[in-house]
Amino acid sequence: MERFGLYGSFEYHWIDFEAEADWNLRDDFAHPKSFEQKASDGEGIVLALGGKYDLTDQWSVHLTLDYQEWKARDGKIRFFDNGGGFTTQGLNEVNWESWAANIGVTYRFL
């Protein structure tokens, strides 16, 4: 039995981005929807690299490092005022990046 193993994955995504929020501390904006954002030209990547070590035939431990990066460009943002009107402007880009480290334990029943 091999005790140590490595694994990895890669994902590429085409995305549409939509968001809305309630800026409840601003009296000049509408509530519960103060603004919305939309962009249809987006992409994302998800990477994972991990390893496992078998302690016994049933027990193993795992360590995985994950990375994600998401971007959307050339969208619109619309602000809703408390009088029922709205203002629209260009949304340059939206970015999100994250790292994660995960550790786990597995028990195999069979």
Side-chain angles (χ1 to χ4, degrees):
M1 172 174 99
E2 291 189 26
R3 291 193 164 281
F4 183 74
L6 291 174
Y7 51 89
S9 67
F10 170 79
E11 300 173 23
Y12 183 83
H13 299 263
W14 291 275
I15 62 168
D16 292 335
F17 171 79
E18 293 184 15
E20 63 181 54
D22 180 8
W23 287 352
N24 60 341
L25 299 178
R26 300 266 316 249
D27 293 339
D28 53 333
F29 284 115
H31 303 287
K33 186 174 169 182
S34 301
F35 79 88
E36 67 182 11
Q37 300 172 332
K38 294 183 180 182
S40 59
D41 181 22
E43 61 190 12
I45 60 167
V46 179
L47 303 170
L49 179 63
K52 74 168 185 79
Y53 182 75
D54 293 327
L55 300 170
T56 67
D57 287 341
Q58 282 89 19
W59 289 97
S60 61
V61 293
H62 307 262
L63 175 64
T64 306
L65 300 174
D66 297 317
Y67 173 76
Q68 296 187 37
E69 182 179 22
W70 301 84
K71 294 180 180 182
R73 292 170 290 288
D74 301 327
K76 298 284 183 201
I77 183 169
R78 182 170 286 171
F79 299 94
F80 300 99
D81 64 50
N82 62 5
F86 62 88
T87 304
T88 302
Q89 69 184 41
L91 176 66
N92 292 334
E93 64 183 12
V94 178
N95 299 304
W96 180 55
E97 181 181 42
S98 72
W99 287 90
N102 303 292
I103 189 165
V105 177
T106 300
Y107 178 78
R108 289 182 285 283
F109 291 95
L110 301 176

